Amino acid sequence: ITPFPYSCLEVMLGSTKSFVDYFTDWYETYKMPTVAASTRKNYEFTLDKLQRNFDNMRMSDINRSAYQHFLNKLADEYAYETVAKIAGHCRSCATDALEDGVITKNFTTRTKIPHCTDYEAEVGNNYLSYADMVALSEYTRPKASINNISAAMVLTSLVSGARYSEVAGLTWSDIDYKNKTIRIDKTLDYKGDMGFLPTKTRSSNRVITVPDYLIKILGTLHQDQVSAGVKNNMHLIFVGKNSSSVPSNNSVNKFLRTAHDRLGIKHITFHGLRHTHASYLLYKNVSIYVISKRLGHSDVGITQRVYTHVIDELQHEQSDLINEALENF
């Protein structure tokens, strides 16, 4: 049995290792050999957040206040399920560190996961009407190519409801040309080192159907990449002729702004394409349970809360149909 990599002197004096180093050793010793590859990505995601927030801070110097501040920062960016997962990893690590005598107090004790910002809920006016959605689609389709990767990304989100990080992280193996589906099981760390990260939540891993015209556009894009000698070690879909990376979120939003100005339609953000997609399906009377799974929500309650504006409008519009049906009963 390989001993845990801390000397007796370190335990007696209190570990001089940083939280990041201790977590790395703990993960590689106890977790990495026993968990599935998908679960390893979750631990590595946690490690990335520790590196960004604690850097070289010694584990023995971390108190409850510093750790709670860390959770509060996470809550400003991630959903509750993601923050809870990170907190669980940290709590387990700190518990073992206390057991080993590396720290004298568990700094995760009596800390709380705060109310988490859910960017999904901030729909507001960030979605297009049906007419504007059609206009944007017709404007974008002929432009979606190796010469305009931003257009291809916009079209993909509009007809799939995928988030920017999910679209950016798509690889060619995620496309099923025969069944006309896209698999979403990872995201691109566009705010970090441009590597792959897990999806927002476990339920965000999904396979969704997409229109035949999108499959054909992506197929042509792949052929054009091969012909142009485009090389990308990560096999990312949305890479153009003159770049080895995916267009940034800012670049894609710039394309959207230009499209909106030329079409004379309302301005929305890239994430607004997801809201537009969901709103359109609701208006088309697609089951909210099906839409919830398509969006990767962990439960239908999230979908109902996020798109309550559409549901309320539909309920109002269909009240006459309900009355008519009951009158004829």
Side-chain angles (χ1 to χ4, degrees):
I1 300 175
T2 303
F4 193 70
Y6 284 95
S7 68
C8 293
L9 181 61
E10 281 182 313
V11 173
M12 290 174 61
L13 298 178
S15 175
T16 59
K17 283 203 171 184
S18 67
F19 188 13
V20 171
D21 287 342
Y22 184 90
F23 186 92
T24 302
D25 290 338
W26 173 80
Y27 160 63
E28 292 178 348
T29 302
Y30 293 110
K31 301 299 178 181
M32 190 169 67
T34 60
V35 300
S38 58
T39 305
R40 290 177 195 168
K41 289 183 179 179
N42 292 330
Y43 280 99
E44 289 161 6
F45 183 74
T46 297
L47 179 58
D48 176 73
K49 301 309 162 191
L50 294 180
Q51 289 170 333
R52 292 171 185 269
N53 286 272
F54 291 104
D55 194 22
N56 294 318
M57 189 174 183
R58 292 193 309 174
M59 195 173 192
S60 57
D61 290 339
I62 298 174
N63 55 28
R64 286 196 306 123
S65 177
Y67 178 71
Q68 183 65 62
H69 181 67
F70 167 62
L71 295 181
N72 294 347
K73 286 176 63 179
L74 291 175
D76 287 337
E77 187 173 357
Y78 298 101
Y80 179 89
E81 185 175 337
T82 301
V83 179
K85 188 177 295 182
I86 293 172
H89 294 163
C90 293
R91 185 178 301 110
S92 296
C93 177
T95 299
D96 283 352
L98 180 65
E99 182 74 18
D100 291 339
V102 174
I103 55 177
T104 58
K105 292 182 179 180
N106 188 335
F107 50 80
T108 68
T109 302
R110 296 195 305 280
T111 55
K112 295 181 179 180
I113 300 172
H115 175 73
C116 296
T117 297
D118 189 351
Y119 291 106
E120 294 286 7
E122 299 175 5
V123 179
N125 202 32
N126 194 23
Y127 66 100
L128 297 176
S129 66
Y130 171 68
D132 287 352
M133 176 184 177
V134 171
L136 180 61
S137 176
E138 291 177 348
Y139 175 85
T140 306
R141 279 197 220 181
K143 292 178 172 55
S145 67
I146 194 171
N147 297 313
N148 196 330
I149 297 298
S150 291
M153 294 180 71
V154 165
L155 185 63
T156 299
S157 180
L158 189 62
V159 300
S160 69
R163 305 172 178 92
Y164 170 80
S165 60
E166 294 172 339
V167 173
L170 288 173
T171 58
W172 288 115
S173 62
D174 295 324
I175 309 300
D176 186 333
Y177 293 95
K178 180 179 179 181
N179 294 309
K180 300 174 185 176
T181 62
I182 291 177
R183 180 182 65 238
I184 298 174
D185 60 2
K186 60 190 175 304
T187 63
L188 188 70
D189 183 19
Y190 67 97
K191 294 181 180 179
D193 62 3
M194 300 300 287
F196 290 127
L197 291 175
T199 52
K200 185 176 181 181
T201 63
R202 183 177 298 177
S203 57
S204 294
N205 294 332
R206 59 205 189 274
V207 175
I208 57 175
T209 56
V210 292
D212 182 60
Y213 63 78
L214 179 63
I215 292 295
K216 290 179 179 178
I217 288 172
L218 294 179
T220 300
L221 173 59
H222 197 190
Q223 292 174 2
D224 290 345
Q225 284 182 347
V226 173
S227 298
V230 175
K231 295 182 179 180
N232 180 273
N233 293 333
M234 297 169 68
H235 307 291
L236 295 169
I237 291 177
F238 297 107
V239 177
K241 283 182 180 178
N242 303 316
S243 176
S244 60
S245 61
V246 176
S248 68
N249 196 16
N250 288 336
S251 295
V252 181
N253 274 297
K254 182 178 180 181
F255 169 84
L256 262 180
R257 289 192 297 272
T258 300
H260 296 152
D261 289 339
R262 292 185 178 178
L263 295 170
I265 62 177
K266 182 176 68 177
H267 281 226
I268 63 170
T269 66
F270 190 91
H271 200 74
L273 299 171
R274 176 174 169 83
H275 295 322
T276 300
H277 177 83
S279 299
Y280 171 72
L281 294 181
L282 283 167
Y283 277 122
K284 285 296 184 178
N285 294 315
V286 176
S287 166
I288 193 169
Y289 295 96
V290 174
I291 296 172
S292 183
K293 287 188 175 296
R294 184 175 179 84
L295 295 176
H297 287 162
S298 56
D299 65 76
V300 73
I302 295 175
T303 316
Q304 290 172 324
R305 185 187 75 249
V306 173
Y307 299 104
T308 185
H309 64 289
V310 181
I311 296 170
D312 288 346
E313 288 177 26
L314 289 174
Q315 187 175 21
H316 178 72
E317 290 176 4
Q318 295 187 9
S319 60
D320 290 341
L321 293 176
I322 294 172
N323 290 336
E324 182 182 345
L326 293 176
E327 288 288 345
N328 296 326
F329 179 68

